[in-house]
Amino acid sequence: MRIPSILTVLFSVLPLSAQDPPLNLTPGLGDFNEGAAWSPDGRSIAFMSRSRSILNSRIYVVQADGSQRVQLTDGTRYDLNPVWSPDGTRIAFNSRLRDSRESRIYTMAPDGSQIRAISTPIDMGWHSTPAWSPDGTQMAFVVHTPNAADIYVADVESGEIRQITSHPEIDEHPFWSPDGTLGFVSKREGGHGDLFRLLPSGDVENLTNHAARDVLWFFSTAGTNPWSPDGKWILFSSDRDSAIGSGDVYILGVDDGSVRRLTFSRLTEFRFTWAPDSRRIAYDYADEQGRDDLYVLDIESGGLTRVTDEDYRGQRPVWSPDGTRLAYVSFSDQRSDIYVMSADRAVESLVPDPNLVTLDGDVRISSAADLEELLSRGGDAFEIFGTLSIRNTDLVDLTALRGLKGIQGGNLRIQGNGSLVSLEGLEGITKLNELQIISN
């Protein structure tokens, strides 16, 4: 079969326009630098750092321009998950001794002084994921014990602690709405994970209530919140519409319970977070080779932008308070560093097609009936998450596949098609890992 020259153009990658490189905030510091948390004024970032040979970790604060890096904790304990108070006067974190299963929640001043415990020992539990209430007067956290995981809330001023949930299954990841409603994740109904909120009566309400796994992965890092800043939506990840068990990002309407799917991918989007304008989200996504990139999605338009490239791949994005920058973690050379970049950085823009149909799973065409069945499912515009195999057909060209816009998570494999003399019809494909042509 003759291979037309159009292939060279069709599947080549266009050169990227010049982009300002992200700024590394942690060069030469430890081996693993993670948990970036913006101060409310957007000037500073708190984070944790540890060396490969020492399991204890330290909390630092650095200016967002990379200057004035200051160590806040002494590294004699395992300190992690720094979270700024809403007024920027305190940083909460959880801490434990290296060989102990017991940890507690602490707060400190931004210079590392005035450290005091917020939580007290509870059943030798591990206290984690501190979350400030919007007014800064309360702190929600999780207590993990050998038999349970429950949500507690502490009064920051008085130190009074209330147990909010008590259930045999796991309750975790507390978060707050802008008006002070407490939400959390629980596996109490079916063991698959749902979103819940605490009602004024003290009862809890299941918000997602679906047989699927509705919390495959949660928010980006400590201090980020799946509840939108305008209070209207909650982000979550679910496999409810996937035929292959992967997860996509959804938003839940708080007032009416409506659910809207935001992403359509073969693999799972991870660690997502709201922009301050409640119009965009950022998340990380790993391709089939395990390479992580950051994406920014405009919820209204559906416009998707990849903001990292092969030199600055990343995970766990966190928006600056003004929505102009993203802090994130990048892994390379067996270490991780924290970077900051413009949220408008655009490596690749993906224009959505509202009529695009997504087909999960491998597809094989070996007869006219197979082709007709595919076109009946895909319609005028479709993409396949899997491999498309065309074998031993009488096709002369591929014009019948003009509606095919992409193949992800697999290849296009053409085998034993002696009558095929042209690849005309593939011009509309914008995503393809590999084209394989095999002669019998």
Side-chain angles (χ1 to χ4, degrees):
M1 180 180 66
R2 180 175 57 87
I3 303 175
S5 59
I6 188 174
L7 276 180
T8 305
V9 177
L10 224 167
F11 303 116
S12 63
V13 178
L14 295 178
L16 302 175
S17 59
Q19 302 284 338
D20 291 333
L23 173 66
N24 187 350
L25 301 183
T26 56
L29 180 65
D31 295 306
F32 302 103
N33 304 287
E34 304 175 39
W38 289 90
S39 62
D41 62 10
R43 296 178 180 177
S44 304
I45 293 175
F47 64 95
M48 60 167 283
S49 177
R50 69 178 178 88
S51 298
R52 184 175 290 103
S53 60
I54 303 175
L55 293 181
N56 292 348
S57 59
R58 303 167 175 83
I59 292 177
Y60 289 77
V61 165
V62 63
Q63 295 295 297
D65 63 4
S67 65
Q68 300 180 41
R69 191 169 67 201
V70 178
Q71 181 179 330
L72 302 187
T73 60
D74 60 16
T76 58
R77 301 172 63 92
Y78 192 49
D79 302 325
L80 67 161
N81 293 331
V83 186
W84 293 82
S85 63
D87 64 3
T89 62
R90 306 289 292 176
I91 298 174
F93 63 101
N94 54 286
S95 177
R96 69 177 175 89
L97 292 173
R98 175 176 177 179
D99 297 321
S100 172
R101 290 184 56 84
E102 180 180 317
S103 72
R104 297 169 66 180
I105 306 298
Y106 295 81
T107 68
M108 60 183 168
D111 62 1
S113 65
Q114 304 174 38
I115 296 179
R116 70 184 184 95
I118 293 296
S119 65
T120 57
I122 301 172
D123 298 329
M124 295 298 292
W126 184 349
H127 304 185
S128 68
T129 55
W132 293 90
S133 64
D135 62 7
T137 63
Q138 300 181 83
M139 178 82 66
F141 59 96
V142 181
V143 176
H144 302 265
T145 63
N147 299 315
D150 287 300
I151 308 297
Y152 288 72
V153 170
D155 184 287
V156 175
E157 186 63 31
S158 70
E160 178 186 357
I161 297 177
R162 295 177 291 130
Q163 184 172 355
I164 302 301
T165 68
S166 178
H167 196 276
E169 293 293 342
I170 295 174
D171 297 332
E172 57 186 347
H173 296 303
F175 58 95
W176 299 87
S177 72
D179 66 2
T181 298
L182 181 63
F184 62 95
V185 174
S186 179
K187 296 182 179 180
R188 61 178 61 196
E189 295 185 9
H192 46 68
D194 280 301
L195 294 174
F196 287 77
R197 66 177 166 186
L198 183 67
L199 301 175
S201 64
D203 295 329
V204 298
E205 178 186 7
N206 188 336
L207 297 175
T208 47
N209 196 24
H210 196 279
R213 297 179 297 167
D214 272 341
V215 185
L216 296 177
W217 201 276
F218 214 46
F219 40 86
S220 175
T221 189
T224 56
N225 194 334
W227 212 311
S228 62
D230 63 10
K232 297 179 179 179
W233 306 94
I234 300 176
L235 279 167
F236 67 100
S237 179
S238 176
D239 64 357
R240 59 174 61 194
D241 293 314
S242 173
I244 57 175
S246 63
D248 284 292
V249 180
Y250 295 73
I251 50 175
L252 169 75
V254 175
D255 292 335
D256 60 9
S258 62
V259 173
R260 177 182 164 195
R261 185 179 182 182
L262 298 182
T263 64
F264 299 81
S265 302
R266 183 175 176 82
L267 301 178
T268 300
E269 286 84 6
F270 292 106
R271 294 169 288 252
F272 35 82
T273 179
W274 286 103
D277 59 13
S278 298
R279 294 179 54 247
R280 296 167 294 163
I281 65 169
Y283 61 87
D284 63 74
Y285 176 81
D287 62 18
E288 289 79 5
Q289 286 74 44
R291 297 172 300 193
D292 293 287
D293 274 308
L294 300 186
Y295 291 81
V296 171
L297 174 68
D298 186 294
I299 289 177
E300 295 303 318
S301 70
L304 182 63
T305 304
R306 180 162 62 94
V307 296
T308 53
D309 53 40
E310 60 274 8
D311 294 323
Y312 300 99
R313 297 189 182 279
Q315 298 178 359
R316 306 171 196 172
V318 186
W319 292 88
S320 64
D322 63 3
T324 64
R325 291 168 292 172
L326 286 168
Y328 69 97
V329 178
S330 183
F331 291 83
S332 63
D333 299 326
Q334 299 184 347
R335 63 174 286 118
S336 60
D337 285 293
I338 294 174
Y339 286 78
V340 170
M341 67 178 173
S342 169
D344 293 328
R345 193 173 190 264
V347 174
E348 179 184 16
S349 295
L350 307 173
V351 180
D353 182 347
N355 299 313
L356 188 67
V357 174
T358 300
L359 303 178
D360 274 332
D362 296 339
V363 176
R364 178 174 175 173
I365 299 175
S366 59
S367 67
D370 292 340
L371 178 60
E372 183 177 349
E373 194 271 339
L374 172 62
L375 298 179
S376 68
R377 293 169 56 204
D380 295 331
F382 63 97
E383 61 181 352
I384 296 172
F385 285 89
T387 290
L388 173 59
S389 298
I390 304 174
R391 302 188 61 180
N392 301 319
T393 68
D394 295 328
L395 294 174
V396 176
D397 56 41
L398 300 177
T399 54
L401 294 176
R402 288 195 187 278
L404 179 60
K405 304 303 180 185
I407 298 174
Q408 298 191 64
N411 305 314
L412 173 56
R413 184 178 300 131
I414 302 173
Q415 182 174 0
N417 292 274
S419 61
L420 191 65
V421 297
S422 170
L423 295 182
E424 183 181 358
L426 300 183
E427 296 87 351
I429 294 180
T430 59
K431 302 175 185 177
L432 180 64
N433 292 333
E434 184 180 1
L435 172 64
Q436 299 174 345
I437 300 177
I438 304 171
S439 299
N440 284 349

